[in-house]
Structure formats: structure tokens, C-alpha cells
Amino acid sequence: MSSISKVRIMSQLLTVVSRMKLARDISLLKVQKRRMTVTTSKMKKTSEEPNGDPSEAISPPLFPVDDWIGPVDSKSNLHRIQFAQPKDETRTEKKYRLLKEETLTWNQEFWTIQNEKFVKAKRRFTQDMFSYRGQNMTNEDGTKRVLTPEELAEFYTDFLEQNRETFKVYNREWYKRNISMLLPAACAAIVRLFKGFQKQS
């Protein structure tokens, strides 16, 4: 068999695997949505009720077969995710899962720091604007004084400009990490495909 034929076969196989993975992901998304609804309801009940039992909150199993999407982190504003880790996880699947976990941790850390910088910069800008006007942070009726849309637009423009290089570095690293996971993702998908065939036989 020529190298060109091998490449074509590999390309066709990856296409089939991708389509099957897409269908599987859509199905899993529906399941996860139901789980998230139940989990959010349970967590809300536990946090709002003074005598709520924390044991009522739903937690992922020790070896989840699906990805579990948790609530949004208050600092990074990103969802916490526990990726699938079946008992029969192969080395190929584990390698891909660890890459995803590492990227998720990196992403969480970046946006935690960046959001903290944003909040501090906005607070400082707001205080400077009101100080420049000779105003307090609150109105006479005790309500919080807010900036005008034009002033907010000025802040956002300045903040983005000051952090332009930071976002450039982040974007490059984001694309680099995602591209580096393409081959491990394809290999893991092929492994799962063959495991599915073995279970059916």
C-alpha cells in the first residue's frame, strides 16, 4: 500500500471518528445539562437553607464516564470541570485527559489573575473619576454612584490597551495548547472507538 493511500485511509478514519464523537458529545451534553440542573438545584438548596445537609449535593463518582461541568468559579468566571476517567482508562486516554486538566488549570489561573486586575483597575478608575468631580462614591439618597457609559467605554479602552501584550501572549499559548491536543484527542477517540467495538462483540 502506498503512503498516499495510507494517508487517505487515516484521513477517512479520523473523519468517521470525529463524526461519531460529535454525535456522542451532543448526547452527553443533553445528559450533562440534566445533571447540571439537578446539581445546581441541590447546591442552591444546601447553601440557602441554614440546616441544609451538604451530603444532599450531587458529586461526581470516583470514576466518571462523562465530563462533569460544575458551577462557575467566582474568581475566574469559568466553569469547573471534572473530566471523564473511566475505570478502564488506557494510557492514551489518560494522556489526553491530563492535557485537558493542565490546560483547564492554566486557563483558570490566568483568568483569576486577570479578573482581579480588572476589578482593581475599575475600582481605582471609578474613585479617580469621582474624586476629579469632587463627588463621593454614593449619592445623597445612599445609592451607589455609577459611571456614565462614555466613562466606562474610556476605562475599557484603556484597560485593553494596557493589557494588549498580555492578551497576545495568552492567545498564542491558548492556540498552541489546543493544537498540541489535536493528535492526542484523535488517538483517544480511536481508542474509545475500538473499545466500543470490543464491548459490542
Side-chain angles (χ1 to χ4, degrees), residues 33-63:
K33 186 175 181 181
R34 292 196 296 270
R35 288 175 174 173
M36 286 175 62
T37 302
V38 175
T39 303
T40 303
S41 175
K42 289 282 188 178
M43 292 179 67
K44 184 176 180 181
K45 178 181 178 182
T46 302
S47 61
E48 290 182 352
E49 294 182 3
N51 298 323
D53 184 3
S55 63
E56 290 184 1
I58 298 177
S59 299
L62 184 61
F63 296 101

PDB file of all heavy atoms in Angstrom, residues 33-63:
ATOM      1  N   LYS A  33     -26.589  18.426  30.861  1.00  0.00           N
ATOM      2  CA  LYS A  33     -27.494  19.541  31.132  1.00  0.00           C
ATOM      3  C   LYS A  33     -28.489  19.155  32.209  1.00  0.00           C
ATOM      4  O   LYS A  33     -28.788  19.933  33.115  1.00  0.00           O
ATOM      5  CB  LYS A  33     -28.222  19.940  29.850  1.00  0.00           C
ATOM      6  CG  LYS A  33     -29.086  21.188  30.011  1.00  0.00           C
ATOM      7  CD  LYS A  33     -29.688  21.593  28.685  1.00  0.00           C
ATOM      8  CE  LYS A  33     -30.542  22.849  28.835  1.00  0.00           C
ATOM      9  NZ  LYS A  33     -31.162  23.248  27.563  1.00  0.00           N
ATOM     10  N   ARG A  34     -29.000  17.910  32.125  1.00  0.00           N
ATOM     11  CA  ARG A  34     -29.935  17.445  33.146  1.00  0.00           C
ATOM     12  C   ARG A  34     -29.237  17.340  34.498  1.00  0.00           C
ATOM     13  O   ARG A  34     -29.779  17.719  35.526  1.00  0.00           O
ATOM     14  CB  ARG A  34     -30.535  16.089  32.743  1.00  0.00           C
ATOM     15  CG  ARG A  34     -31.451  16.152  31.530  1.00  0.00           C
ATOM     16  CD  ARG A  34     -32.284  14.901  31.428  1.00  0.00           C
ATOM     17  NE  ARG A  34     -31.474  13.724  31.196  1.00  0.00           N
ATOM     18  CZ  ARG A  34     -31.167  13.280  29.993  1.00  0.00           C
ATOM     19  NH1 ARG A  34     -31.588  13.916  28.911  1.00  0.00           N
ATOM     20  NH2 ARG A  34     -30.427  12.188  29.845  1.00  0.00           N
ATOM     21  N   ARG A  35     -28.004  16.821  34.468  1.00  0.00           N
ATOM     22  CA  ARG A  35     -27.258  16.679  35.718  1.00  0.00           C
ATOM     23  C   ARG A  35     -26.949  18.032  36.334  1.00  0.00           C
ATOM     24  O   ARG A  35     -27.030  18.212  37.538  1.00  0.00           O
ATOM     25  CB  ARG A  35     -25.948  15.926  35.461  1.00  0.00           C
ATOM     26  CG  ARG A  35     -26.151  14.441  35.184  1.00  0.00           C
ATOM     27  CD  ARG A  35     -24.841  13.786  34.829  1.00  0.00           C
ATOM     28  NE  ARG A  35     -24.985  12.342  34.707  1.00  0.00           N
ATOM     29  CZ  ARG A  35     -24.034  11.541  34.279  1.00  0.00           C
ATOM     30  NH1 ARG A  35     -22.865  12.055  33.912  1.00  0.00           N
ATOM     31  NH2 ARG A  35     -24.221  10.241  34.196  1.00  0.00           N
ATOM     32  N   MET A  36     -26.574  18.984  35.481  1.00  0.00           N
ATOM     33  CA  MET A  36     -26.249  20.322  35.977  1.00  0.00           C
ATOM     34  C   MET A  36     -27.467  20.971  36.619  1.00  0.00           C
ATOM     35  O   MET A  36     -27.364  21.656  37.629  1.00  0.00           O
ATOM     36  CB  MET A  36     -25.727  21.197  34.839  1.00  0.00           C
ATOM     37  CG  MET A  36     -24.320  20.860  34.389  1.00  0.00           C
ATOM     38  SD  MET A  36     -23.832  21.836  32.969  1.00  0.00           S
ATOM     39  CE  MET A  36     -23.909  23.484  33.667  1.00  0.00           C
ATOM     40  N   THR A  37     -28.660  20.750  36.025  1.00  0.00           N
ATOM     41  CA  THR A  37     -29.882  21.326  36.574  1.00  0.00           C
ATOM     42  C   THR A  37     -30.154  20.776  37.963  1.00  0.00           C
ATOM     43  O   THR A  37     -30.460  21.513  38.900  1.00  0.00           O
ATOM     44  CB  THR A  37     -31.081  21.015  35.647  1.00  0.00           C
ATOM     45  OG1 THR A  37     -30.813  21.542  34.347  1.00  0.00           O
ATOM     46  CG2 THR A  37     -32.347  21.641  36.189  1.00  0.00           C
ATOM     47  N   VAL A  38     -29.994  19.460  38.107  1.00  0.00           N
ATOM     48  CA  VAL A  38     -30.225  18.830  39.403  1.00  0.00           C
ATOM     49  C   VAL A  38     -29.170  19.287  40.404  1.00  0.00           C
ATOM     50  O   VAL A  38     -29.465  19.617  41.544  1.00  0.00           O
ATOM     51  CB  VAL A  38     -30.203  17.285  39.265  1.00  0.00           C
ATOM     52  CG1 VAL A  38     -30.326  16.637  40.638  1.00  0.00           C
ATOM     53  CG2 VAL A  38     -31.340  16.832  38.363  1.00  0.00           C
ATOM     54  N   THR A  39     -27.898  19.306  39.964  1.00  0.00           N
ATOM     55  CA  THR A  39     -26.801  19.691  40.853  1.00  0.00           C
ATOM     56  C   THR A  39     -26.962  21.121  41.329  1.00  0.00           C
ATOM     57  O   THR A  39     -26.798  21.425  42.512  1.00  0.00           O
ATOM     58  CB  THR A  39     -25.450  19.549  40.117  1.00  0.00           C
ATOM     59  OG1 THR A  39     -25.310  18.205  39.660  1.00  0.00           O
ATOM     60  CG2 THR A  39     -24.293  19.893  41.046  1.00  0.00           C
ATOM     61  N   THR A  40     -27.298  22.041  40.404  1.00  0.00           N
ATOM     62  CA  THR A  40     -27.471  23.442  40.774  1.00  0.00           C
ATOM     63  C   THR A  40     -28.604  23.604  41.761  1.00  0.00           C
ATOM     64  O   THR A  40     -28.520  24.367  42.717  1.00  0.00           O
ATOM     65  CB  THR A  40     -27.755  24.285  39.518  1.00  0.00           C
ATOM     66  OG1 THR A  40     -26.691  24.106  38.582  1.00  0.00           O
ATOM     67  CG2 THR A  40     -27.866  25.755  39.866  1.00  0.00           C
ATOM     68  N   SER A  41     -29.694  22.851  41.524  1.00  0.00           N
ATOM     69  CA  SER A  41     -30.837  22.925  42.433  1.00  0.00           C
ATOM     70  C   SER A  41     -30.460  22.447  43.821  1.00  0.00           C
ATOM     71  O   SER A  41     -30.794  23.061  44.822  1.00  0.00           O
ATOM     72  CB  SER A  41     -31.990  22.078  41.876  1.00  0.00           C
ATOM     73  OG  SER A  41     -33.062  22.041  42.781  1.00  0.00           O
ATOM     74  N   LYS A  42     -29.716  21.350  43.893  1.00  0.00           N
ATOM     75  CA  LYS A  42     -29.295  20.798  45.173  1.00  0.00           C
ATOM     76  C   LYS A  42     -28.351  21.747  45.898  1.00  0.00           C
ATOM     77  O   LYS A  42     -28.459  21.978  47.092  1.00  0.00           O
ATOM     78  CB  LYS A  42     -28.597  19.447  44.961  1.00  0.00           C
ATOM     79  CG  LYS A  42     -29.516  18.318  44.555  1.00  0.00           C
ATOM     80  CD  LYS A  42     -30.288  17.785  45.746  1.00  0.00           C
ATOM     81  CE  LYS A  42     -31.064  16.528  45.382  1.00  0.00           C
ATOM     82  NZ  LYS A  42     -31.790  15.970  46.536  1.00  0.00           N
ATOM     83  N   MET A  43     -27.374  22.289  45.142  1.00  0.00           N
ATOM     84  CA  MET A  43     -26.394  23.191  45.739  1.00  0.00           C
ATOM     85  C   MET A  43     -27.067  24.456  46.254  1.00  0.00           C
ATOM     86  O   MET A  43     -26.714  24.983  47.305  1.00  0.00           O
ATOM     87  CB  MET A  43     -25.307  23.549  44.730  1.00  0.00           C
ATOM     88  CG  MET A  43     -24.418  22.376  44.352  1.00  0.00           C
ATOM     89  SD  MET A  43     -23.187  22.829  43.139  1.00  0.00           S
ATOM     90  CE  MET A  43     -22.181  23.953  44.078  1.00  0.00           C
ATOM     91  N   LYS A  44     -28.043  24.975  45.500  1.00  0.00           N
ATOM     92  CA  LYS A  44     -28.759  26.177  45.921  1.00  0.00           C
ATOM     93  C   LYS A  44     -29.531  25.902  47.204  1.00  0.00           C
ATOM     94  O   LYS A  44     -29.541  26.712  48.130  1.00  0.00           O
ATOM     95  CB  LYS A  44     -29.715  26.626  44.816  1.00  0.00           C
ATOM     96  CG  LYS A  44     -30.429  27.926  45.128  1.00  0.00           C
ATOM     97  CD  LYS A  44     -31.290  28.353  43.952  1.00  0.00           C
ATOM     98  CE  LYS A  44     -32.002  29.660  44.253  1.00  0.00           C
ATOM     99  NZ  LYS A  44     -32.879  30.094  43.141  1.00  0.00           N
ATOM    100  N   LYS A  45     -30.165  24.744  47.259  1.00  0.00           N
ATOM    101  CA  LYS A  45     -30.934  24.389  48.445  1.00  0.00           C
ATOM    102  C   LYS A  45     -30.017  24.279  49.661  1.00  0.00           C
ATOM    103  O   LYS A  45     -30.323  24.760  50.743  1.00  0.00           O
ATOM    104  CB  LYS A  45     -31.646  23.045  48.218  1.00  0.00           C
ATOM    105  CG  LYS A  45     -32.440  22.551  49.428  1.00  0.00           C
ATOM    106  CD  LYS A  45     -33.083  21.222  49.108  1.00  0.00           C
ATOM    107  CE  LYS A  45     -33.849  20.695  50.321  1.00  0.00           C
ATOM    108  NZ  LYS A  45     -34.446  19.369  50.064  1.00  0.00           N
ATOM    109  N   THR A  46     -28.830  23.653  49.474  1.00  0.00           N
ATOM    110  CA  THR A  46     -27.899  23.469  50.584  1.00  0.00           C
ATOM    111  C   THR A  46     -27.359  24.784  51.091  1.00  0.00           C
ATOM    112  O   THR A  46     -27.185  24.996  52.286  1.00  0.00           O
ATOM    113  CB  THR A  46     -26.727  22.567  50.130  1.00  0.00           C
ATOM    114  OG1 THR A  46     -27.241  21.327  49.672  1.00  0.00           O
ATOM    115  CG2 THR A  46     -25.749  22.329  51.265  1.00  0.00           C
ATOM    116  N   SER A  47     -27.072  25.727  50.147  1.00  0.00           N
ATOM    117  CA  SER A  47     -26.470  26.999  50.549  1.00  0.00           C
ATOM    118  C   SER A  47     -27.481  27.956  51.152  1.00  0.00           C
ATOM    119  O   SER A  47     -27.131  28.791  51.983  1.00  0.00           O
ATOM    120  CB  SER A  47     -25.811  27.665  49.330  1.00  0.00           C
ATOM    121  OG  SER A  47     -26.778  27.934  48.340  1.00  0.00           O
ATOM    122  N   GLU A  48     -28.779  27.859  50.749  1.00  0.00           N
ATOM    123  CA  GLU A  48     -29.772  28.808  51.221  1.00  0.00           C
ATOM    124  C   GLU A  48     -30.430  28.364  52.521  1.00  0.00           C
ATOM    125  O   GLU A  48     -30.818  29.175  53.336  1.00  0.00           O
ATOM    126  CB  GLU A  48     -30.846  29.019  50.141  1.00  0.00           C
ATOM    127  CG  GLU A  48     -30.320  29.780  48.923  1.00  0.00           C
ATOM    128  CD  GLU A  48     -31.404  30.017  47.896  1.00  0.00           C
ATOM    129  OE1 GLU A  48     -32.503  29.460  48.079  1.00  0.00           O
ATOM    130  OE2 GLU A  48     -31.159  30.739  46.921  1.00  0.00           O
ATOM    131  N   GLU A  49     -30.543  27.057  52.698  1.00  0.00           N
ATOM    132  CA  GLU A  49     -31.195  26.579  53.909  1.00  0.00           C
ATOM    133  C   GLU A  49     -30.171  26.467  55.032  1.00  0.00           C
ATOM    134  O   GLU A  49     -29.154  25.802  54.880  1.00  0.00           O
ATOM    135  CB  GLU A  49     -31.839  25.199  53.654  1.00  0.00           C
ATOM    136  CG  GLU A  49     -32.987  25.271  52.649  1.00  0.00           C
ATOM    137  CD  GLU A  49     -33.623  23.918  52.446  1.00  0.00           C
ATOM    138  OE1 GLU A  49     -33.200  22.971  53.138  1.00  0.00           O
ATOM    139  OE2 GLU A  49     -34.540  23.811  51.626  1.00  0.00           O
ATOM    140  N   PRO A  50     -30.425  27.092  56.180  1.00  0.00           N
ATOM    141  CA  PRO A  50     -29.460  27.051  57.271  1.00  0.00           C
ATOM    142  C   PRO A  50     -29.176  25.646  57.769  1.00  0.00           C
ATOM    143  O   PRO A  50     -28.091  25.362  58.239  1.00  0.00           O
ATOM    144  CB  PRO A  50     -30.130  27.916  58.372  1.00  0.00           C
ATOM    145  CG  PRO A  50     -31.593  27.924  58.022  1.00  0.00           C
ATOM    146  CD  PRO A  50     -31.654  27.842  56.524  1.00  0.00           C
ATOM    147  N   ASN A  51     -30.169  24.770  57.688  1.00  0.00           N
ATOM    148  CA  ASN A  51     -29.984  23.398  58.149  1.00  0.00           C
ATOM    149  C   ASN A  51     -29.816  22.433  56.983  1.00  0.00           C
ATOM    150  O   ASN A  51     -30.064  21.242  57.120  1.00  0.00           O
ATOM    151  CB  ASN A  51     -31.177  22.968  59.012  1.00  0.00           C
ATOM    152  CG  ASN A  51     -31.312  23.821  60.268  1.00  0.00           C
ATOM    153  OD1 ASN A  51     -30.310  24.211  60.855  1.00  0.00           O
ATOM    154  ND2 ASN A  51     -32.546  24.124  60.670  1.00  0.00           N
ATOM    155  N   GLY A  52     -29.422  22.967  55.826  1.00  0.00           N
ATOM    156  CA  GLY A  52     -29.268  22.119  54.657  1.00  0.00           C
ATOM    157  C   GLY A  52     -28.178  21.077  54.868  1.00  0.00           C
ATOM    158  O   GLY A  52     -27.159  21.339  55.511  1.00  0.00           O
ATOM    159  N   ASP A  53     -28.408  19.901  54.371  1.00  0.00           N
ATOM    160  CA  ASP A  53     -27.455  18.817  54.527  1.00  0.00           C
ATOM    161  C   ASP A  53     -26.499  18.823  53.346  1.00  0.00           C
ATOM    162  O   ASP A  53     -26.917  18.555  52.214  1.00  0.00           O
ATOM    163  CB  ASP A  53     -28.205  17.484  54.598  1.00  0.00           C
ATOM    164  CG  ASP A  53     -27.263  16.319  54.867  1.00  0.00           C
ATOM    165  OD1 ASP A  53     -26.056  16.569  55.051  1.00  0.00           O
ATOM    166  OD2 ASP A  53     -27.735  15.167  54.871  1.00  0.00           O
ATOM    167  N   PRO A  54     -25.190  19.105  53.535  1.00  0.00           N
ATOM    168  CA  PRO A  54     -24.232  19.127  52.424  1.00  0.00           C
ATOM    169  C   PRO A  54     -24.149  17.800  51.692  1.00  0.00           C
ATOM    170  O   PRO A  54     -23.784  17.741  50.526  1.00  0.00           O
ATOM    171  CB  PRO A  54     -22.892  19.452  53.116  1.00  0.00           C
ATOM    172  CG  PRO A  54     -23.283  20.123  54.401  1.00  0.00           C
ATOM    173  CD  PRO A  54     -24.570  19.472  54.807  1.00  0.00           C
ATOM    174  N   SER A  55     -24.519  16.709  52.390  1.00  0.00           N
ATOM    175  CA  SER A  55     -24.440  15.395  51.758  1.00  0.00           C
ATOM    176  C   SER A  55     -25.470  15.231  50.653  1.00  0.00           C
ATOM    177  O   SER A  55     -25.387  14.317  49.842  1.00  0.00           O
ATOM    178  CB  SER A  55     -24.619  14.294  52.806  1.00  0.00           C
ATOM    179  OG  SER A  55     -25.912  14.382  53.396  1.00  0.00           O
ATOM    180  N   GLU A  56     -26.480  16.159  50.612  1.00  0.00           N
ATOM    181  CA  GLU A  56     -27.506  16.066  49.580  1.00  0.00           C
ATOM    182  C   GLU A  56     -26.981  16.515  48.215  1.00  0.00           C
ATOM    183  O   GLU A  56     -27.546  16.178  47.192  1.00  0.00           O
ATOM    184  CB  GLU A  56     -28.712  16.925  49.970  1.00  0.00           C
ATOM    185  CG  GLU A  56     -29.505  16.381  51.154  1.00  0.00           C
ATOM    186  CD  GLU A  56     -30.736  17.220  51.431  1.00  0.00           C
ATOM    187  OE1 GLU A  56     -30.955  18.200  50.674  1.00  0.00           O
ATOM    188  OE2 GLU A  56     -31.477  16.916  52.375  1.00  0.00           O
ATOM    189  N   ALA A  57     -25.914  17.336  48.199  1.00  0.00           N
ATOM    190  CA  ALA A  57     -25.377  17.828  46.932  1.00  0.00           C
ATOM    191  C   ALA A  57     -24.816  16.664  46.126  1.00  0.00           C
ATOM    192  O   ALA A  57     -24.164  15.771  46.661  1.00  0.00           O
ATOM    193  CB  ALA A  57     -24.290  18.863  47.189  1.00  0.00           C
ATOM    194  N   ILE A  58     -25.082  16.679  44.842  1.00  0.00           N
ATOM    195  CA  ILE A  58     -24.613  15.614  43.966  1.00  0.00           C
ATOM    196  C   ILE A  58     -23.154  15.836  43.623  1.00  0.00           C
ATOM    197  O   ILE A  58     -22.758  16.935  43.232  1.00  0.00           O
ATOM    198  CB  ILE A  58     -25.455  15.565  42.687  1.00  0.00           C
ATOM    199  CG1 ILE A  58     -26.911  15.266  43.027  1.00  0.00           C
ATOM    200  CG2 ILE A  58     -24.917  14.514  41.717  1.00  0.00           C
ATOM    201  CD1 ILE A  58     -27.823  15.277  41.834  1.00  0.00           C
ATOM    202  N   SER A  59     -22.349  14.809  43.761  1.00  0.00           N
ATOM    203  CA  SER A  59     -20.922  14.878  43.435  1.00  0.00           C
ATOM    204  C   SER A  59     -20.605  13.844  42.369  1.00  0.00           C
ATOM    205  O   SER A  59     -21.270  12.813  42.270  1.00  0.00           O
ATOM    206  CB  SER A  59     -20.068  14.620  44.681  1.00  0.00           C
ATOM    207  OG  SER A  59     -20.328  15.590  45.672  1.00  0.00           O
ATOM    208  N   PRO A  60     -19.573  14.117  41.553  1.00  0.00           N
ATOM    209  CA  PRO A  60     -19.191  13.139  40.528  1.00  0.00           C
ATOM    210  C   PRO A  60     -18.737  11.838  41.169  1.00  0.00           C
ATOM    211  O   PRO A  60     -18.200  11.849  42.285  1.00  0.00           O
ATOM    212  CB  PRO A  60     -18.024  13.828  39.810  1.00  0.00           C
ATOM    213  CG  PRO A  60     -18.155  15.270  40.139  1.00  0.00           C
ATOM    214  CD  PRO A  60     -18.753  15.334  41.508  1.00  0.00           C
ATOM    215  N   PRO A  61     -18.937  10.717  40.504  1.00  0.00           N
ATOM    216  CA  PRO A  61     -18.443   9.445  41.042  1.00  0.00           C
ATOM    217  C   PRO A  61     -16.922   9.406  41.002  1.00  0.00           C
ATOM    218  O   PRO A  61     -16.281  10.282  40.433  1.00  0.00           O
ATOM    219  CB  PRO A  61     -19.059   8.408  40.082  1.00  0.00           C
ATOM    220  CG  PRO A  61     -19.288   9.161  38.818  1.00  0.00           C
ATOM    221  CD  PRO A  61     -19.642  10.560  39.228  1.00  0.00           C
ATOM    222  N   LEU A  62     -16.357   8.398  41.626  1.00  0.00           N
ATOM    223  CA  LEU A  62     -14.897   8.267  41.684  1.00  0.00           C
ATOM    224  C   LEU A  62     -14.296   8.112  40.296  1.00  0.00           C
ATOM    225  O   LEU A  62     -13.237   8.682  39.989  1.00  0.00           O
ATOM    226  CB  LEU A  62     -14.514   7.068  42.566  1.00  0.00           C
ATOM    227  CG  LEU A  62     -13.015   6.858  42.807  1.00  0.00           C
ATOM    228  CD1 LEU A  62     -12.426   8.084  43.510  1.00  0.00           C
ATOM    229  CD2 LEU A  62     -12.790   5.596  43.642  1.00  0.00           C
ATOM    230  N   PHE A  63     -14.972   7.354  39.433  1.00  0.00           N
ATOM    231  CA  PHE A  63     -14.508   7.157  38.059  1.00  0.00           C
ATOM    232  C   PHE A  63     -15.633   7.556  37.095  1.00  0.00           C
ATOM    233  O   PHE A  63     -16.341   6.689  36.575  1.00  0.00           O
ATOM    234  CB  PHE A  63     -14.100   5.700  37.823  1.00  0.00           C
ATOM    235  CG  PHE A  63     -12.938   5.262  38.655  1.00  0.00           C
ATOM    236  CD1 PHE A  63     -13.127   4.511  39.808  1.00  0.00           C
ATOM    237  CD2 PHE A  63     -11.644   5.618  38.299  1.00  0.00           C
ATOM    238  CE1 PHE A  63     -12.049   4.112  40.586  1.00  0.00           C
ATOM    239  CE2 PHE A  63     -10.558   5.226  39.064  1.00  0.00           C
ATOM    240  CZ  PHE A  63     -10.761   4.471  40.218  1.00  0.00           C
TER     241      PHE A  63
END
